[in-house]
Amino acid sequence: RTIGDRIGEAKASGNLGNTLKILGQFDEAVVCCQRHLDISREQGDKIGEARALYNIGNVYHAKGKHLSWNTAQDPGYLPQEVKDTLQKASEYYERNLSLVKELGDRAAQGRAYGNLGNTQYLLGNFSEAIAFHKERLAIAKEFGDKAAERRAYSNLGNAHIFLGRFDVSAEYYKKTLQLSRQLRDQAVEAQACYSLGNTCTLLQDYEKAIEYHLRHLVIAQELGDR
């Protein structure tokens, strides 16, 4: 501010916003991210504007998740305040998405689709969540981003469960399991086995369910995860 560097001030405000978000000071975080947005617009900085929109979405997303921790509810059955907060997150992600499309930034589009899928899932809009996660998946494959691909499969599996499509979920969870082994991520492998065990139970394939739950147990013991 002293030297009149507006772009620098915008970036610093954005960083402050992200830090306040991590500290759980969501309302102060929104103020800082909004300043990042306002200055970026004033300066005609489209990339800064896109980042600011994404960051504001992130703050509302984190706030919504934080508020919903106190209510152990299934997705879609949320108090009004939580719904409104997640709806705001979704709106900012949508605005970010249309701007990064305009800028031709595919990687940023992938991040926006993933987050839109997650917010719609929490809001109980499972078909919308699936559409967004499929877009996320396509971009992850485009970039050869195995970790993002793995997350997309997992999220697609979760959303299909709530639509009662257990067989489709099982296929997505199997892909999650395959990728977690490729990535040598044992914690995620255990998680995938747990999801597959539950899905096989829903499909009444109890032998397979036992197999997956045993695998989950073995990894949990190996990791010393009580």
Side-chain angles (χ1 to χ4, degrees):
R1 278 182 178 158
T2 309
I3 62 172
D5 176 359
R6 293 294 276 167
I7 297 277
E9 184 184 341
K11 281 182 184 163
S13 297
N15 289 337
L16 256 176
N18 290 338
T19 310
L20 287 162
K21 177 196 76 179
I22 293 163
L23 291 168
Q25 295 172 26
F26 303 114
D27 298 338
E28 295 92 325
V30 169
V31 173
C32 292
C33 291
Q34 185 64 48
R35 194 181 303 132
H36 183 193
L37 181 61
D38 294 341
I39 299 172
S40 298
R41 282 186 175 148
E42 165 210 302
Q43 296 293 312
D45 174 7
K46 291 278 194 193
I47 292 170
E49 184 181 341
R51 280 202 189 121
L53 288 167
Y54 181 78
N55 289 342
I56 298 173
N58 269 177
V59 175
Y60 282 120
H61 195 170
K63 184 183 179 180
K65 281 201 286 195
H66 177 76
L67 290 170
S68 67
W69 283 336
N70 309 323
T71 61
Q73 300 270 321
D74 274 339
Y77 297 94
L78 297 168
Q80 197 54 47
E81 185 194 1
V82 181
K83 278 189 182 171
D84 293 344
T85 306
L86 290 168
Q87 201 50 60
K88 272 187 188 161
S90 203
E91 282 160 22
Y92 278 100
Y93 288 141
E94 289 271 15
R95 286 160 68 184
N96 164 263
L97 180 61
S98 71
L99 191 48
V100 294
K101 275 183 176 171
E102 199 184 301
L103 294 167
D105 186 342
R106 286 293 280 166
Q109 286 170 45
R111 287 192 291 276
Y113 280 125
N115 281 313
L116 277 163
N118 291 335
T119 48
Q120 289 305 312
Y121 172 81
L122 290 172
L123 285 163
N125 303 328
F126 304 114
S127 299
E128 289 88 336
I130 286 165
F132 286 128
H133 285 309
K134 280 185 172 167
E135 295 283 357
R136 176 67 193 111
L137 178 63
I139 295 174
K141 284 179 171 173
E142 217 174 279
F143 281 89
D145 184 342
K146 293 286 181 195
E149 190 182 333
R150 199 270 310 150
R151 287 194 301 275
Y153 284 134
S154 184
N155 289 328
L156 283 162
N158 295 343
H160 280 287
I161 287 281
F162 282 97
L163 292 176
R165 298 181 191 145
F166 307 134
D167 49 341
V168 180
S169 286
E171 290 312 310
Y172 281 125
Y173 289 142
K174 280 175 191 164
K175 288 183 167 146
T176 307
L177 181 59
Q178 212 179 335
L179 275 174
S180 64
R181 283 177 178 158
Q182 265 181 42
L183 294 163
R184 294 201 163 80
D185 188 334
Q186 276 203 299
V188 172
E189 185 183 339
Q191 219 175 6
C193 289
Y194 174 79
S195 297
L196 273 163
N198 289 340
T199 310
C200 288
T201 302
L202 291 167
L203 288 165
Q204 298 180 344
D205 185 349
Y206 302 116
E207 290 299 318
K208 266 276 177 245
I210 289 168
E211 232 173 88
Y212 285 121
H213 284 310
L214 280 171
R215 179 73 193 130
H216 175 212
L217 179 62
V218 169
I219 298 173
Q221 286 168 341
E222 275 174 22
L223 297 174
D225 183 339
R226 304 282 289 173

